[in-house]
Amino acid sequence: MSDYLRIRGGRPLNGHVSVSGSKNAAVAIIPAAILADSPCTIENLPDIDDVYCYRDILSFLGADVEFAKGVMRIDPRGINKNELPQELVGRMRASYYLVPTLMGRLGSAHVPLPGGCDIGNRPIDQTIKGLTSLGARVDTDGGIINAVRGDNYGGNEVFLAMPSVGATINTMLAAVHAPGRTVIHNAAKEPHIVDTANFLSSMGARVKGAGTDIIRIDGGHPLHGSNYAVIPDQIETGTLMIAAAASRGDVTLHGTIPTHMESLTAKLLEMGVYVTDEDDIIRVRASGTLRPISLKTQVYPGFPTDLQQPLTAMLTTAWGTSYVTETIFESRFRYVDELRRMGAEIKVLESTAIVSGVEKLHPANVTATDLRAGAAMIVAALMADGVSNIGGIQYILRGYEHIDEKLRSLGGEVEYV
Ligand code: EPZ
Protein backbone atom coordinates (compact mmCIF):
# COMPACT_ATOMS: atom_id res chain seq x y z
CA MET A 1 0.00 0.00 0.00
CA SER A 2 1.43 3.39 -0.96
CA ASP A 3 1.68 6.26 1.48
CA TYR A 4 2.12 9.23 -0.81
CA LEU A 5 1.31 10.58 -4.22
CA ARG A 6 4.66 11.96 -5.45
CA ILE A 7 4.51 14.71 -8.08
CA ARG A 8 7.38 16.51 -9.84
CA GLY A 9 5.71 19.72 -10.97
CA GLY A 10 6.70 22.75 -13.00
CA ARG A 11 5.97 21.21 -16.39
CA PRO A 12 2.87 21.52 -18.59
CA LEU A 13 0.39 18.68 -19.05
CA ASN A 14 -0.22 17.90 -22.73
CA GLY A 15 -2.27 15.35 -24.63
CA HIS A 16 -5.54 13.46 -24.45
CA VAL A 17 -7.34 11.84 -21.51
CA SER A 18 -10.72 10.17 -21.01
CA VAL A 19 -12.79 10.91 -17.92
CA SER A 20 -14.31 8.17 -15.74
CA GLY A 21 -17.85 7.54 -14.55
CA SER A 22 -19.33 9.74 -11.85
CA LYS A 23 -18.56 8.81 -8.23
CA ASN A 24 -21.56 10.71 -6.89
CA ALA A 25 -23.90 9.06 -9.40
CA ALA A 26 -22.40 5.62 -8.77
CA VAL A 27 -22.85 5.77 -4.98
CA ALA A 28 -26.57 6.55 -5.45
CA ILE A 29 -27.32 4.20 -8.35
CA ILE A 30 -25.64 1.11 -6.87
CA PRO A 31 -27.85 1.10 -3.71
CA ALA A 32 -30.90 1.95 -5.88
CA ALA A 33 -30.51 -1.52 -7.44
CA ILE A 34 -31.67 -2.92 -4.07
CA LEU A 35 -35.18 -1.78 -5.04
CA ALA A 36 -35.36 -4.03 -8.14
CA ASP A 37 -37.08 -7.42 -8.27
CA SER A 38 -34.49 -8.75 -10.73
CA PRO A 39 -30.78 -8.28 -11.55
CA CYS A 40 -29.25 -4.96 -12.64
CA THR A 41 -26.09 -4.29 -14.66
CA ILE A 42 -24.44 -0.93 -14.05
CA GLU A 43 -21.67 0.17 -16.44
CA ASN A 44 -19.04 2.94 -16.63
CA LEU A 45 -18.46 2.70 -12.88
CA PRO A 46 -15.20 4.30 -11.72
CA ASP A 47 -12.52 2.04 -10.23
CA ILE A 48 -12.50 3.81 -6.85
CA ASP A 49 -12.71 2.70 -3.22
CA ASP A 50 -16.28 3.95 -2.71
CA VAL A 51 -17.50 1.57 -5.44
CA TYR A 52 -15.62 -1.38 -3.92
CA CYS A 53 -17.06 -0.38 -0.54
CA TYR A 54 -20.59 -0.62 -1.96
CA ARG A 55 -19.79 -3.96 -3.60
CA ASP A 56 -18.79 -5.31 -0.19
CA ILE A 57 -21.88 -3.82 1.48
CA LEU A 58 -24.29 -5.40 -1.03
CA SER A 59 -22.52 -8.76 -0.68
CA PHE A 60 -22.78 -8.51 3.11
CA LEU A 61 -26.52 -7.87 2.79
CA GLY A 62 -26.94 -11.07 0.77
CA ALA A 63 -27.04 -9.76 -2.80
CA ASP A 64 -25.14 -11.54 -5.53
CA VAL A 65 -22.59 -8.94 -6.74
CA GLU A 66 -19.76 -9.01 -9.29
CA PHE A 67 -17.64 -5.96 -10.14
CA ALA A 68 -14.99 -6.00 -12.87
CA LYS A 69 -13.78 -3.62 -15.56
CA GLY A 70 -16.22 -0.88 -14.59
CA VAL A 71 -19.27 -3.16 -14.74
CA MET A 72 -21.22 -4.23 -11.65
CA ARG A 73 -23.84 -6.97 -11.82
CA ILE A 74 -26.22 -6.93 -8.86
CA ASP A 75 -28.87 -9.55 -8.14
CA PRO A 76 -30.69 -8.12 -5.10
CA ARG A 77 -33.08 -11.04 -4.66
CA GLY A 78 -30.89 -12.69 -2.02
CA ILE A 79 -30.81 -9.64 0.25
CA ASN A 80 -31.88 -10.81 3.71
CA LYS A 81 -30.29 -8.27 6.03
CA ASN A 82 -31.31 -4.69 6.76
CA GLU A 83 -28.64 -3.66 9.20
CA LEU A 84 -24.94 -3.03 8.79
CA PRO A 85 -21.87 -2.79 11.03
CA GLN A 86 -20.16 0.60 11.44
CA GLU A 87 -16.90 -0.58 9.90
CA LEU A 88 -18.60 -1.34 6.60
CA VAL A 89 -20.35 2.01 6.14
CA GLY A 90 -18.42 4.36 8.43
CA ARG A 91 -16.29 6.34 6.01
CA MET A 92 -18.73 6.98 3.22
CA ARG A 93 -21.30 9.80 3.30
CA ALA A 94 -23.30 8.03 0.60
CA SER A 95 -23.94 5.00 2.83
CA TYR A 96 -27.20 6.63 3.93
CA TYR A 97 -28.72 5.86 0.54
CA LEU A 98 -29.10 2.35 2.02
CA VAL A 99 -31.83 3.63 4.36
CA PRO A 100 -34.64 4.28 1.83
CA THR A 101 -33.59 1.36 -0.37
CA LEU A 102 -33.44 -1.29 2.38
CA MET A 103 -36.61 0.13 3.90
CA GLY A 104 -38.22 -0.06 0.45
CA ARG A 105 -37.21 -3.68 -0.01
CA LEU A 106 -37.53 -5.09 3.52
CA GLY A 107 -39.82 -2.64 5.33
CA SER A 108 -37.14 -1.28 7.68
CA ALA A 109 -33.46 -0.35 7.76
CA HIS A 110 -30.81 0.17 10.44
CA VAL A 111 -27.77 1.98 9.01
CA PRO A 112 -25.00 3.70 11.03
CA LEU A 113 -24.93 7.48 10.61
CA PRO A 114 -22.85 8.34 7.51
CA GLY A 115 -19.20 9.40 7.54
CA GLY A 116 -17.72 11.31 4.64
CA CYS A 117 -15.30 14.16 4.13
CA ASP A 118 -14.68 16.41 7.13
CA ILE A 119 -15.76 19.63 5.41
CA GLY A 120 -18.24 20.75 8.00
CA ASN A 121 -21.27 19.59 9.88
CA ARG A 122 -23.09 17.03 7.72
CA PRO A 123 -26.62 16.93 9.19
CA ILE A 124 -29.27 14.68 7.69
CA ASP A 125 -32.33 16.52 8.95
CA GLN A 126 -33.68 17.05 5.44
CA THR A 127 -33.32 13.35 4.60
CA ILE A 128 -35.24 12.52 7.77
CA LYS A 129 -37.87 15.12 6.80
CA GLY A 130 -38.26 13.53 3.37
CA LEU A 131 -38.68 9.98 4.71
CA THR A 132 -41.03 10.96 7.54
CA SER A 133 -43.15 13.02 5.09
CA LEU A 134 -43.87 9.71 3.31
CA GLY A 135 -44.94 8.03 6.54
CA ALA A 136 -41.70 6.38 7.66
CA ARG A 137 -40.77 6.38 11.35
CA VAL A 138 -37.12 7.49 11.63
CA ASP A 139 -34.81 7.94 14.62
CA THR A 140 -31.04 8.14 15.05
CA ASP A 141 -30.72 6.53 18.47
CA GLY A 142 -27.22 5.33 19.27
CA GLY A 143 -25.74 6.67 16.05
CA ILE A 144 -27.85 4.37 13.91
CA ILE A 145 -30.45 5.60 11.43
CA ASN A 146 -33.49 3.42 12.16
CA ALA A 147 -36.24 3.73 9.55
CA VAL A 148 -39.47 1.75 9.44
CA ARG A 149 -42.26 2.00 6.87
CA GLY A 150 -45.43 3.17 8.69
CA ASP A 151 -48.85 1.60 7.95
CA ASN A 152 -49.88 4.68 5.99
CA TYR A 153 -46.61 4.83 4.01
CA GLY A 154 -47.37 6.68 0.78
CA GLY A 155 -46.72 9.60 -1.52
CA ASN A 156 -46.80 13.17 -0.15
CA GLU A 157 -45.61 16.73 -0.73
CA VAL A 158 -42.02 17.21 0.55
CA PHE A 159 -40.63 20.72 1.04
CA LEU A 160 -36.83 20.69 1.44
CA ALA A 161 -35.42 23.58 3.49
CA MET A 162 -32.46 23.76 1.12
CA PRO A 163 -31.71 21.98 -2.17
CA SER A 164 -29.76 19.18 -0.47
CA VAL A 165 -28.29 16.62 -2.89
CA GLY A 166 -28.50 13.76 -0.40
CA ALA A 167 -32.00 14.60 0.80
CA THR A 168 -33.27 14.89 -2.78
CA ILE A 169 -31.83 11.49 -3.71
CA ASN A 170 -32.95 9.82 -0.47
CA THR A 171 -36.51 11.14 -0.88
CA MET A 172 -36.60 9.94 -4.52
CA LEU A 173 -35.33 6.50 -3.46
CA ALA A 174 -38.05 6.31 -0.80
CA ALA A 175 -40.85 7.70 -2.98
CA VAL A 176 -40.57 5.11 -5.79
CA HIS A 177 -41.83 2.45 -3.36
CA ALA A 178 -44.39 4.75 -1.67
CA PRO A 179 -47.82 4.22 -3.27
CA GLY A 180 -49.21 7.43 -4.77
CA ARG A 181 -47.76 10.76 -5.84
CA THR A 182 -44.77 12.42 -4.15
CA VAL A 183 -43.72 15.94 -5.10
CA ILE A 184 -40.29 17.10 -3.93
CA HIS A 185 -40.13 20.92 -3.75
CA ASN A 186 -36.81 22.82 -3.69
CA ALA A 187 -35.07 19.73 -5.07
CA ALA A 188 -31.36 19.84 -5.88
CA LYS A 189 -30.49 19.69 -9.63
CA GLU A 190 -26.97 18.22 -9.78
CA PRO A 191 -26.19 15.94 -12.76
CA HIS A 192 -25.96 12.90 -10.47
CA ILE A 193 -29.53 13.50 -9.32
CA VAL A 194 -30.76 13.41 -12.91
CA ASP A 195 -28.66 10.27 -13.48
CA THR A 196 -30.19 8.55 -10.45
CA ALA A 197 -33.70 9.53 -11.63
CA ASN A 198 -32.91 8.18 -15.11
CA PHE A 199 -31.73 4.89 -13.60
CA LEU A 200 -34.94 4.61 -11.55
CA SER A 201 -36.96 5.33 -14.70
CA SER A 202 -35.03 2.58 -16.53
CA MET A 203 -36.25 0.23 -13.78
CA GLY A 204 -39.85 1.25 -14.50
CA ALA A 205 -40.21 4.01 -11.92
CA ARG A 206 -42.32 7.05 -12.84
CA VAL A 207 -40.07 10.05 -12.06
CA LYS A 208 -40.53 13.42 -13.73
CA GLY A 209 -38.74 16.74 -13.36
CA ALA A 210 -35.31 15.65 -12.10
CA GLY A 211 -32.92 18.52 -12.89
CA THR A 212 -35.56 21.09 -11.97
CA ASP A 213 -36.51 22.15 -8.45
CA ILE A 214 -39.76 20.14 -8.51
CA ILE A 215 -39.56 16.35 -8.92
CA ARG A 216 -42.76 14.29 -9.23
CA ILE A 217 -42.76 10.55 -8.47
CA ASP A 218 -45.72 8.18 -8.87
CA GLY A 219 -44.65 5.39 -6.56
CA GLY A 220 -45.78 1.94 -5.50
CA HIS A 221 -45.15 0.15 -8.80
CA PRO A 222 -42.80 -2.85 -9.01
CA LEU A 223 -39.28 -2.03 -10.24
CA HIS A 224 -37.45 -4.46 -12.53
CA GLY A 225 -33.73 -4.80 -13.09
CA SER A 226 -32.10 -2.82 -15.90
CA ASN A 227 -28.84 -2.17 -17.73
CA TYR A 228 -27.51 1.33 -17.20
CA ALA A 229 -24.29 3.33 -17.70
CA VAL A 230 -23.52 6.14 -15.25
CA ILE A 231 -22.68 9.63 -16.58
CA PRO A 232 -19.12 11.00 -16.74
CA ASP A 233 -17.83 12.49 -13.49
CA GLN A 234 -18.47 16.24 -13.46
CA ILE A 235 -15.96 16.84 -10.68
CA GLU A 236 -13.19 14.68 -12.12
CA THR A 237 -13.70 16.48 -15.45
CA GLY A 238 -13.40 19.83 -13.67
CA THR A 239 -10.36 18.73 -11.70
CA LEU A 240 -8.55 17.66 -14.88
CA MET A 241 -9.53 20.93 -16.64
CA ILE A 242 -8.06 22.89 -13.73
CA ALA A 243 -4.90 20.75 -13.65
CA ALA A 244 -4.40 21.35 -17.38
CA ALA A 245 -4.78 25.12 -16.99
CA ALA A 246 -2.73 25.35 -13.77
CA SER A 247 0.19 23.52 -15.41
CA ARG A 248 -0.07 25.92 -18.38
CA GLY A 249 -0.62 22.93 -20.68
CA ASP A 250 -2.82 21.86 -23.58
CA VAL A 251 -5.14 18.97 -22.71
CA THR A 252 -8.10 17.46 -24.55
CA LEU A 253 -10.63 15.61 -22.35
CA HIS A 254 -12.77 12.89 -23.95
CA GLY A 255 -16.08 11.38 -22.83
CA THR A 256 -17.26 14.55 -21.07
CA ILE A 257 -20.61 16.37 -20.90
CA PRO A 258 -19.60 20.01 -21.57
CA THR A 259 -22.94 21.44 -20.40
CA HIS A 260 -22.19 20.09 -16.89
CA MET A 261 -19.00 22.17 -16.85
CA GLU A 262 -20.38 25.57 -17.88
CA SER A 263 -19.86 27.34 -14.53
CA LEU A 264 -16.20 26.24 -14.37
CA THR A 265 -15.59 27.00 -18.06
CA ALA A 266 -16.91 30.53 -17.53
CA LYS A 267 -14.46 31.10 -14.66
CA LEU A 268 -11.51 29.65 -16.58
CA LEU A 269 -12.29 31.91 -19.56
CA GLU A 270 -12.42 34.86 -17.16
CA MET A 271 -8.90 33.96 -16.01
CA GLY A 272 -7.61 33.94 -19.59
CA VAL A 273 -7.63 30.17 -20.10
CA TYR A 274 -8.66 28.92 -23.57
CA VAL A 275 -11.54 26.43 -23.28
CA THR A 276 -13.31 25.00 -26.33
CA ASP A 277 -15.75 22.11 -26.56
CA GLU A 278 -17.44 19.98 -29.20
CA ASP A 279 -19.69 16.94 -28.63
CA ASP A 280 -18.12 15.07 -25.67
CA ILE A 281 -14.71 16.76 -26.00
CA ILE A 282 -13.35 19.70 -23.98
CA ARG A 283 -9.94 21.24 -24.81
CA VAL A 284 -8.15 23.37 -22.20
CA ARG A 285 -5.06 25.47 -22.99
CA ALA A 286 -3.24 28.06 -20.88
CA SER A 287 0.07 29.91 -20.93
CA GLY A 288 1.76 32.75 -19.06
CA THR A 289 0.05 34.61 -16.26
CA LEU A 290 -3.65 34.16 -15.51
CA ARG A 291 -6.05 36.79 -14.23
CA PRO A 292 -7.52 36.68 -10.71
CA ILE A 293 -11.30 36.22 -10.23
CA SER A 294 -14.06 36.37 -7.66
CA LEU A 295 -15.84 33.08 -7.08
CA LYS A 296 -18.86 31.98 -5.06
CA THR A 297 -19.87 28.34 -4.76
CA GLN A 298 -23.54 27.60 -5.39
CA VAL A 299 -25.82 24.62 -5.87
CA TYR A 300 -26.03 23.36 -9.45
CA PRO A 301 -25.96 24.91 -12.02
CA GLY A 302 -23.82 27.35 -10.03
CA PHE A 303 -20.11 26.82 -9.39
CA PRO A 304 -19.75 23.46 -7.60
CA THR A 305 -18.39 23.44 -4.06
CA ASP A 306 -16.39 20.31 -4.98
CA LEU A 307 -14.31 22.35 -7.45
CA GLN A 308 -13.69 25.23 -5.05
CA GLN A 309 -10.62 23.55 -3.59
CA PRO A 310 -8.70 22.70 -6.79
CA LEU A 311 -9.56 26.07 -8.37
CA THR A 312 -8.38 27.98 -5.30
CA ALA A 313 -5.07 26.10 -5.58
CA MET A 314 -4.73 27.39 -9.13
CA LEU A 315 -5.59 30.95 -8.06
CA THR A 316 -2.54 31.04 -5.76
CA THR A 317 -0.39 31.98 -8.80
CA ALA A 318 -2.90 34.20 -10.63
CA TRP A 319 -1.66 37.73 -11.26
CA GLY A 320 -3.53 39.59 -8.51
CA THR A 321 -5.98 39.04 -5.66
CA SER A 322 -8.87 36.55 -5.95
CA TYR A 323 -11.85 36.15 -3.65
CA VAL A 324 -13.38 32.69 -3.09
CA THR A 325 -16.60 32.44 -1.07
CA GLU A 326 -17.80 29.02 0.04
CA THR A 327 -21.57 29.07 0.62
CA ILE A 328 -22.34 25.33 0.86
CA PHE A 329 -20.08 23.93 3.58
CA GLU A 330 -18.96 25.85 6.62
CA SER A 331 -15.41 24.56 6.88
CA ARG A 332 -14.15 23.74 3.44
CA PHE A 333 -10.98 25.87 3.69
CA ARG A 334 -8.95 23.61 6.00
CA TYR A 335 -6.67 22.68 3.09
CA VAL A 336 -5.50 26.30 2.83
CA ASP A 337 -2.94 25.66 5.60
CA GLU A 338 -1.30 23.08 3.34
CA LEU A 339 -1.22 25.48 0.39
CA ARG A 340 0.47 28.07 2.62
CA ARG A 341 3.24 25.54 3.23
CA MET A 342 3.90 25.66 -0.52
CA GLY A 343 4.19 29.46 -0.43
CA ALA A 344 0.60 30.45 -1.13
CA GLU A 345 -0.63 33.72 0.38
CA ILE A 346 -4.21 33.17 1.50
CA LYS A 347 -6.27 34.77 4.24
CA VAL A 348 -9.58 33.21 5.27
CA LEU A 349 -12.19 35.58 6.65
CA GLU A 350 -15.33 33.66 7.67
CA SER A 351 -16.54 31.99 4.46
CA THR A 352 -14.22 33.85 2.09
CA ALA A 353 -10.62 33.04 1.14
CA ILE A 354 -8.62 36.06 -0.10
CA VAL A 355 -5.89 34.71 -2.38
CA SER A 356 -2.96 37.02 -3.17
CA GLY A 357 -1.21 35.65 -6.24
CA VAL A 358 2.47 34.76 -5.91
CA GLU A 359 5.02 34.17 -8.67
CA LYS A 360 5.49 30.49 -7.95
CA LEU A 361 4.62 27.84 -5.38
CA HIS A 362 7.50 25.76 -4.04
CA PRO A 363 7.29 21.99 -3.57
CA ALA A 364 6.57 20.57 -0.12
CA ASN A 365 5.34 17.50 1.70
CA VAL A 366 1.61 18.13 2.25
CA THR A 367 -1.42 16.19 3.39
CA ALA A 368 -4.90 15.92 1.90
CA THR A 369 -7.51 16.60 4.58
CA ASP A 370 -10.41 15.41 2.40
CA LEU A 371 -11.11 14.17 -1.12
CA ARG A 372 -11.20 17.49 -2.94
CA ALA A 373 -8.41 18.91 -0.76
CA GLY A 374 -6.41 16.09 -2.32
CA ALA A 375 -7.31 17.54 -5.71
CA ALA A 376 -6.11 20.95 -4.52
CA MET A 377 -2.78 19.45 -3.43
CA ILE A 378 -2.39 17.75 -6.83
CA VAL A 379 -3.03 21.03 -8.68
CA ALA A 380 -0.60 22.91 -6.44
CA ALA A 381 2.11 20.24 -6.78
CA LEU A 382 1.77 20.32 -10.58
CA MET A 383 2.50 24.06 -10.48
CA ALA A 384 5.48 23.86 -8.10
CA ASP A 385 8.97 23.41 -9.55
CA GLY A 386 10.25 20.20 -7.94
CA VAL A 387 9.02 17.16 -6.04
CA SER A 388 6.07 17.28 -3.65
CA ASN A 389 4.72 14.35 -1.64
CA ILE A 390 0.99 14.32 -0.91
CA GLY A 391 -0.17 12.28 2.11
CA GLY A 392 -3.77 11.33 2.92
CA ILE A 393 -4.05 9.42 -0.35
CA GLN A 394 -6.90 7.31 1.06
CA TYR A 395 -9.11 10.30 0.27
CA ILE A 396 -7.81 10.60 -3.30
CA LEU A 397 -8.27 6.86 -3.88
CA ARG A 398 -11.92 7.17 -2.80
CA GLY A 399 -12.85 9.59 -5.55
CA TYR A 400 -10.31 9.78 -8.38
CA GLU A 401 -9.87 6.72 -10.57
CA HIS A 402 -6.18 6.09 -11.41
CA ILE A 403 -5.39 9.81 -11.25
CA ASP A 404 -1.66 8.93 -11.34
CA GLU A 405 -2.04 7.05 -14.64
CA LYS A 406 -4.17 9.80 -16.14
CA LEU A 407 -1.65 12.52 -15.25
CA ARG A 408 1.29 10.38 -16.44
CA SER A 409 -0.47 9.88 -19.77
CA LEU A 410 -0.43 13.69 -20.04
CA GLY A 411 3.30 13.87 -19.37
CA GLY A 412 3.04 14.46 -15.64
CA GLU A 413 5.66 12.92 -13.35
CA VAL A 414 3.19 11.40 -10.87
CA GLU A 415 3.33 8.14 -8.93
CA TYR A 416 1.98 6.55 -5.78
CA VAL A 417 4.95 5.68 -3.53
C1 EPZ B 1 -23.17 15.69 -1.88
O1 EPZ B 1 -23.02 15.70 -0.47
C2 EPZ B 1 -21.83 15.22 -2.42
N1 EPZ B 1 -21.57 13.86 -1.94
C3 EPZ B 1 -20.72 16.16 -1.98
O2 EPZ B 1 -19.53 15.74 -2.64
C4 EPZ B 1 -21.05 17.56 -2.48
O3 EPZ B 1 -20.06 18.45 -1.97
C5 EPZ B 1 -22.43 17.98 -1.98
O4 EPZ B 1 -23.41 17.00 -2.40
C6 EPZ B 1 -22.85 19.34 -2.54
O5 EPZ B 1 -22.83 19.29 -3.94
C7 EPZ B 1 -22.18 12.83 -2.58
O6 EPZ B 1 -22.93 13.03 -3.54
C8 EPZ B 1 -21.86 11.46 -2.06
P1 EPZ B 1 -25.92 18.27 0.60
P2 EPZ B 1 -24.35 15.89 0.46
O7 EPZ B 1 -26.89 17.37 1.29
O8 EPZ B 1 -25.47 15.14 -0.16
C9 EPZ B 1 -26.47 21.05 4.44
C10 EPZ B 1 -17.37 14.98 -2.83
O9 EPZ B 1 -16.30 15.57 -2.70
N2 EPZ B 1 -27.48 20.06 4.76
O10 EPZ B 1 -26.32 18.97 -0.64
O11 EPZ B 1 -23.97 15.63 1.85
C11 EPZ B 1 -25.09 20.42 4.59
O12 EPZ B 1 -24.63 20.58 5.92
C12 EPZ B 1 -18.48 15.22 -1.84
O13 EPZ B 1 -17.66 14.19 -3.77
C13 EPZ B 1 -28.31 20.26 5.86
O14 EPZ B 1 -28.22 21.27 6.56
O15 EPZ B 1 -24.59 17.46 0.24
C14 EPZ B 1 -24.23 21.18 3.65
O16 EPZ B 1 -23.78 22.37 4.29
C15 EPZ B 1 -18.04 16.13 -0.72
N3 EPZ B 1 -29.23 19.31 6.17
C16 EPZ B 1 -25.19 21.54 2.53
O17 EPZ B 1 -26.52 21.40 3.04
C17 EPZ B 1 -29.38 18.17 5.42
O18 EPZ B 1 -30.24 17.33 5.74
C18 EPZ B 1 -25.03 20.63 1.31
O19 EPZ B 1 -25.34 19.31 1.70
C19 EPZ B 1 -28.55 17.99 4.30
C20 EPZ B 1 -27.61 18.95 3.99
Side-chain angles (χ1 to χ4, degrees):
M1 172 67 184
S2 306
D3 295 321
Y4 296 99
L5 187 61
R6 175 165 295 164
I7 297 182
R8 175 183 294 279
R11 47 196 303 150
L13 297 175
N14 290 302
H16 296 254
V17 67
S18 293
V19 302
S20 303
S22 165
K23 163 180 93 79
N24 289 346
V27 296
I29 287 170
I30 293 169
I34 292 171
L35 294 164
D37 56 18
S38 53
C40 290
T41 298
I42 305 167
E43 301 174 3
N44 197 35
L45 288 171
D47 189 33
I48 57 176
D49 283 2
D50 275 10
V51 172
Y52 286 102
C53 180
Y54 252 122
R55 177 202 58 188
D56 298 344
I57 288 171
L58 292 184
S59 296
F60 172 85
L61 292 170
D64 199 11
V65 193
E66 292 160 30
F67 176 48
K69 298 189 178 60
V71 179
M72 189 177 283
R73 284 179 185 74
I74 302 167
D75 183 348
R77 289 173 292 192
I79 289 179
N80 53 18
K81 289 194 190 75
N82 66 350
E83 50 190 289
L84 290 139
Q86 173 70 34
E87 64 270 12
L88 253 187
V89 301
R91 64 179 189 273
M92 214 172 41
R93 167 84 177 170
S95 55
Y96 66 168
Y97 295 145
L98 290 161
V99 175
T101 48
L102 287 174
M103 180 176 69
R105 185 173 192 90
L106 299 174
S108 64
H110 308 280
V111 179
L113 276 167
C117 289
D118 179 12
I119 49 181
N121 180 18
R122 308 290 292 273
I124 62 165
D125 54 295
Q126 296 303 304
T127 279
I128 291 173
K129 177 179 186 180
L131 302 188
T132 48
S133 300
L134 303 183
R137 292 195 308 281
V138 186
D139 69 71
T140 56
D141 297 346
I144 306 280
I145 306 173
N146 302 296
V148 182
R149 282 169 72 121
D151 299 338
N152 58 352
Y153 191 70
N156 199 351
E157 304 277 334
V158 178
F159 295 85
L160 296 179
M162 87 284 292
S164 152
V165 169
T168 302
I169 290 176
N170 274 321
T171 305
M172 259 195 324
L173 293 172
V176 290
H177 265 215
R181 165 153 289 196
T182 293
V183 182
I184 305 173
H185 300 268
N186 200 14
K189 307 176 205 167
E190 274 69 4
H192 30 288
I193 288 170
V194 176
D195 211 28
T196 304
N198 289 341
F199 175 62
L200 292 170
S201 300
S202 77
M203 293 161 76
R206 296 172 196 174
V207 185
K208 295 270 179 288
T212 74
D213 54 1
I214 297 185
I215 301 177
R216 290 179 176 75
I217 298 115
D218 289 320
H221 309 283
L223 301 181
H224 52 74
S226 84
N227 286 16
Y228 193 80
V230 304
I231 52 170
D233 194 309
Q234 173 201 19
I235 306 304
E236 185 201 37
T237 302
T239 304
L240 291 170
M241 288 169 70
I242 294 167
S247 69
R248 306 309 193 262
D250 180 352
V251 173
T252 301
L253 291 88
H254 296 259
T256 71
I257 300 180
T259 50
H260 289 169
M261 308 314 303
E262 284 172 356
S263 58
L264 171 64
T265 298
K267 286 301 172 187
L268 291 176
L269 292 171
E270 223 183 292
M271 294 177 70
V273 177
Y274 294 98
V275 184
T276 51
D277 63 62
E278 187 182 351
D279 297 338
D280 68 347
I281 289 171
I282 298 176
R283 184 176 179 191
V284 179
R285 284 168 289 160
S287 57
T289 56
L290 296 173
R291 293 189 288 268
I293 55 168
S294 286
L295 172 73
K296 196 176 213 183
T297 63
Q298 300 285 1
V299 296
Y300 193 84
F303 189 91
T305 173
D306 293 348
L307 290 176
Q308 176 262 103
Q309 294 160 288
L311 192 68
T312 301
M314 176 164 140
L315 289 170
T316 59
T317 61
W319 198 243
T321 303
S322 297
Y323 298 84
V324 179
T325 301
E326 171 60 59
T327 68
I328 306 294
F329 289 103
E330 63 275 7
S331 59
R332 202 163 196 175
F333 283 123
R334 282 180 53 209
Y335 67 101
V336 161
D337 293 336
E338 297 298 295
L339 290 180
R340 288 194 187 106
R341 298 181 56 231
M342 299 179 77
E345 286 182 17
I346 306 178
K347 269 200 300 295
V348 177
L349 297 175
E350 295 191 0
S351 61
T352 297
I354 301 168
V355 187
S356 306
V358 296
E359 184 77 23
K360 266 276 180 196
L361 294 182
H362 55 74
N365 292 342
V366 290
T367 303
T369 49
D370 62 70
L371 168 56
R372 307 305 174 182
M377 299 304 118
I378 289 170
V379 169
L382 286 170
M383 295 194 299
D385 274 332
V387 176
S388 299
N389 293 306
I390 302 170
I393 60 171
Q394 69 276 15
Y395 294 113
I396 298 171
L397 290 165
R398 274 192 52 207
Y400 287 101
E401 179 191 78
H402 309 157
I403 190 70
D404 57 329
E405 291 173 16
K406 285 181 172 132
L407 293 175
R408 275 200 300 274
S409 75
L410 296 170
E413 275 192 60
V414 182
E415 58 178 336
Y416 283 114
V417 295

